[in-house]
Amino acid sequence: MAIDIKGPAEIAKMRETCLLAAATLRMAAAEVRPGITTEKLDRICHEYIRDHGAIPAPLNYRGFPKSICTSINDVVCHGIPSAKERLKNGDIVNIDVTTILDGFHGDTSVTVFVGDRVSKVARHVTEVARRSMELGIATVRPGSRIREIGSAIQRYAEGEGCSVVREYCGHGIGRIFHTDPQVPHYAARGPNPRIREGMTFTIEPMINVGTWRTRLMSDGWTVKTADGKLSAQFEHTILVTPTGHDVLTDWNKLKGSRYSN
Ligand code: MF3
Ligand code: CO
Ligand code: CO
């Protein structure tokens, strides 16, 4: 399938939805503290997104029951917010927000420390995940190839003693939540399309302390590490520009925007 190239009008809409996703995520991350339930994080994101005229993309997506994903400690991704799940001091939690505004998707996540008792290994895997995302993003420019992203990430993350999840990848995004190109975060075999101006896709490495292998829980969504060790993730939506890339979900873009407060 050909990879969609966005024109100026579509890029303007991608910028808007990504700004809203970033603002939602920043707001939710600021609410993280010991004792809060992941259900509460889900509710405040749902309301914020709806109040800004948008739709939370995960809700009812292939049957997903909530508006965001919340993935704690050994949960790799797609954790389901729950009233029974309370964050505790020392946890790490990934909050993953996807908005649909005027028909276009914006997708972004961060991993946040809960309280002041986060272990050294948890801090390390979180910082490696953040840096992995940044190094992957740094390779993006017209003429480069998709697999450069994963090569850069795998080299770095494994050098830091961590592993890179393989079953879940970044993805093209726009009117469709998950579309081509598939963006592996490791040096994968298979398709290796050339990156072109006007493409939009996510980079969202999941980095593990132990094995890269994962297990799907019986709820059909929650993905955990196979060995029960920690996992961290960061995600941005990226636009390919004439000279390189633009990080559409960058929180720095909120300064001076309608979301500056
Ligand atoms: N936001 C996730 C991603 O980065 C996808 C969540 S799909 C859901 O691609 F159904 F689990 F919400
Ligand atoms: Co995504
Ligand atoms: Co996401």
Side-chain angles (χ1 to χ4, degrees), residues 224-245:
K224 291 191 179 183
T225 57
D227 57 9
K229 295 187 179 176
L230 296 170
S231 184
Q233 180 181 25
F234 288 80
E235 174 174 26
H236 275 311
T237 298
I238 309 299
L239 166 70
V240 183
T241 64
T243 53
H245 56 265

Side-chain angles (χ1 to χ4, degrees), residues 190-204:
N192 190 16
R194 200 176 283 282
I195 291 173
R196 295 188 195 284
E197 180 186 348
M199 289 182 177
T200 51
F201 53 81
T202 72
I203 297 179
E204 51 179 301

Side-chain angles (χ1 to χ4, degrees), residues 34-168:
I36 195 171
T37 65
T38 51
E39 167 98 359
K40 179 78 192 290
L41 294 173
D42 180 76
R43 189 172 345 117
I44 63 178
C45 288
H46 181 98
E47 283 167 9
Y48 192 93
I49 292 166
R50 297 302 305 244
D51 285 349
H52 288 84
I55 298 165
L59 188 59
N60 303 319
Y61 177 78
R62 298 185 184 165
F64 191 80
K66 294 288 181 178
S67 297
I68 61 171
C69 298
T70 48
S71 302
I72 303 173
N73 296 337
D74 64 330
V75 178
V76 172
C77 62
H78 304 165
I80 303 172
S82 163
K84 288 183 246 161
E85 186 176 64
R86 241 171 243 288
L87 298 181
K88 51 186 197 309
N89 199 330
D91 285 343
I92 57 173
V93 60
N94 175 276
I95 303 173
D96 192 336
V97 169
T98 314
T99 51
I100 310 172
L101 182 62
D102 203 6
F104 285 80
H105 291 75
D107 191 5
T108 184
S109 83
V110 290
T111 296
V112 183
F113 300 146
V114 183
D116 55 4
R117 281 184 231 151
V118 174
S119 70
K120 245 178 137 172
V121 59
R123 289 176 192 272
H124 181 67
V125 72
T126 301
E127 289 319 315
V128 172
R130 187 199 313 276
R131 191 77 188 120
S132 291
M133 178 190 64
E134 291 170 352
L135 289 171
I137 292 171
T139 71
V140 174
R141 62 180 187 281
S144 178
R145 288 187 184 269
I146 284 290
R147 276 193 244 158
E148 289 297 316
I149 297 165
S151 299
I153 290 172
Q154 185 175 20
R155 190 180 325 122
Y156 164 71
E158 291 184 354
E160 291 292 330
C162 297
S163 68
V164 181
V165 170
R166 303 192 178 193
E167 295 99 321
Y168 304 90

